[in-house]
Amino acid sequence: MKELNMLTMKALVYEGPRTMNMREVPIPVLKSDEVLIRVERVGICGSELGGYLGHNSLRKPPLIMGHEFSGIIESVGEQVNSFQPGVRVTANPLVTCGTCRYCRNGQSQLCSARNLLGAHRPGAFAQFVAVPAKNVYRLEDHISFDEGALAEPLACAVHICRLLSLTPTNRLLIYGAGPIGLFALQAAKVYGLSDIVIVDLNEARLEIARELGCIAVTSLDSIDNANGFDAVIDAVGAEFTRQKSIAAARPGGKVIFTGLHEADSKLPVNDMIRNEIWTQGAFAYSEEDFETALLWIGQGKIHLLPWMETAQLSDGSACFEKLITGPGKVAKIVLSLENI
């Protein structure tokens, strides 16, 4: 590692609103409990689009973003015995303390000391990224690097569906056919649900949802909602969708808020009280959720690759612009570092 630490690597650096450029930066210096991963694939997350636009306080320039990734272990720290160079891996990008009440109770996503790769520390829009060994997971041989990079967003959907305690007879509504909404749709189907409706204004995204096996509409006006939905997921996070989510839930129904588009919203609290609407926020995922996501990918239960586009890391800025201005029938863009 001493020789490698003297070298530089190529990275896509966020330098200000709508400004990302390829730069030469130092290769991360490993701590004793970390591994250095040579990045093969890294996905673009919706939260990073907000950061790119300058709307996300967690992402301050200059910054190497990227927290959905897969790759190959290049080297390991002195105290790492669980991995060796050459192993194919992905990683949970939430770095937590491991000792607080939340970490001990299996709720590491609520750790007050948590740090996110690509936000609080350098991420994977680069040739190499340093990650604590405890956050790293081996990829089974039949799982591609593309699929490995999807474990992180899928884990968010697994977490949402677990919090909802879904059962096969539940009627589910999802606001938002972005990656999280589409993954939540597929996760719900793994739970055995068949009565699923997804709402979005983007017809191309709705076409993806229909191909995944649900009713996909631009408005609930065409849907018989006399009895309401047992469970509702707001994967948008606007005041309008939050209000509509509550209105669509049946008495005693459950609503999960996971979209972070707007910080504050007015909600019909009296209706929520009178109808005993159960509401909860859902942030990220636990370690168990991440492991479940990897298991489902390995078992072939989740499919998103037909609607995923791959581009080169050097084209990252253009890909961010595409996702913001009109992605078409693309649910996720994953950047490749094969030719770097």
Side-chain angles (χ1 to χ4, degrees):
M1 268 306 297
K2 290 183 179 180
E3 181 179 356
L4 188 57
N5 284 337
M6 298 174 63
L7 303 176
T8 62
M9 65 178 181
K10 293 181 180 179
L12 182 64
V13 182
Y14 166 59
E15 298 178 327
R18 297 188 99 141
T19 304
M20 299 183 82
N21 293 295
M22 293 293 293
R23 301 296 186 195
E24 289 283 340
V25 301
I27 290 175
V29 177
L30 277 188
K31 295 180 180 178
S32 61
D33 64 343
E34 294 180 336
V35 302
L36 187 70
I37 299 174
R38 181 185 294 272
V39 179
E40 292 288 334
R41 298 287 192 278
V42 54
I44 298 175
C45 175
S47 64
E48 290 168 336
L49 296 179
Y52 174 74
L53 291 171
H55 299 162
N56 189 310
S57 61
L58 290 182
R59 293 170 171 86
K60 299 177 181 179
L63 175 67
I64 301 172
M65 293 196 279
H67 61 266
E68 310 171 356
F69 65 96
S70 61
I72 301 171
I73 292 181
E74 181 76 13
S75 59
V76 302
E78 296 175 357
Q79 296 181 3
V80 176
N81 299 313
S82 53
F83 291 101
Q84 296 295 327
V87 176
R88 302 168 70 253
V89 296
T90 186
N92 178 342
L94 279 178
V95 181
T96 58
C97 73
T99 58
C100 70
R101 60 183 294 189
Y102 300 109
C103 288
R104 294 197 310 271
N105 291 337
Q107 297 174 297
S108 56
Q109 75 277 11
L110 300 180
C111 175
S112 61
R114 67 179 182 258
N115 286 308
L116 177 66
L117 292 173
H120 304 99
R121 52 190 286 170
F125 287 158
Q127 286 179 282
F128 298 96
V129 61
V131 185
K134 67 183 180 67
N135 286 61
V136 177
Y137 294 84
R138 296 174 185 267
L139 290 180
E140 296 180 41
D141 291 342
H142 67 281
I143 297 178
S144 69
F145 286 122
D146 289 324
E147 291 170 318
L150 299 178
E152 195 276 344
L154 175 58
C156 294
V158 172
H159 183 61
I160 291 166
C161 291
R162 181 170 62 81
L163 290 177
L164 284 170
S165 301
L166 295 176
T167 63
T169 59
N170 285 158
R171 189 175 189 226
L172 172 65
L173 170 65
I174 302 172
Y175 268 103
I180 298 302
L182 293 172
F183 270 135
L185 160 61
Q186 294 195 70
K189 292 177 76 68
V190 175
Y191 273 89
L193 276 70
S194 59
D195 191 351
I196 305 173
V197 176
I198 195 163
V199 180
D200 199 290
L201 298 179
N202 186 322
E203 268 298 338
R205 291 283 179 87
L206 291 179
E207 186 178 348
I208 296 174
R210 294 186 190 105
E211 292 174 6
L212 289 172
C214 78
I215 297 172
V217 294
T218 57
S219 170
L220 283 182
D221 293 342
S222 61
I223 302 297
D224 178 11
N225 191 33
N227 297 317
F229 290 86
D230 301 293
V232 184
I233 299 169
D234 173 29
V236 177
E239 181 175 285
F240 175 80
T241 57
R242 289 168 179 162
Q243 293 174 345
K244 286 291 187 180
S245 294
I246 291 170
R250 66 164 174 79
K254 301 178 180 180
V255 177
I256 284 280
F257 297 124
T258 191
L260 293 168
H261 184 68
E262 295 179 2
D264 300 296
S265 299
K266 294 180 179 180
L267 298 177
V269 177
N270 283 355
D271 291 340
M272 295 164 61
I273 293 171
R274 294 185 180 115
N275 291 315
E276 294 192 354
I277 303 298
W278 180 97
T279 61
Q280 183 170 350
F283 174 74
Y285 38 78
S286 67
E287 293 175 10
E288 177 186 354
D289 298 320
F290 197 94
E291 292 167 1
T292 298
L294 264 181
L295 177 65
W296 287 0
I297 290 173
Q299 293 174 339
K301 293 181 177 180
I302 302 296
H303 305 280
L304 193 59
L305 296 187
W307 304 281
M308 186 189 79
E309 182 177 295
T310 301
Q312 294 300 309
L313 181 67
S314 56
D315 296 324
S317 181
C319 291
F320 269 76
E321 288 293 330
K322 178 176 181 176
L323 288 171
I324 290 168
T325 58
K329 196 178 177 182
V330 175
K332 171 71 69 175
I333 294 181
V334 173
L335 302 177
S336 171
L337 287 86
E338 282 182 336
N339 297 324
I340 293 181

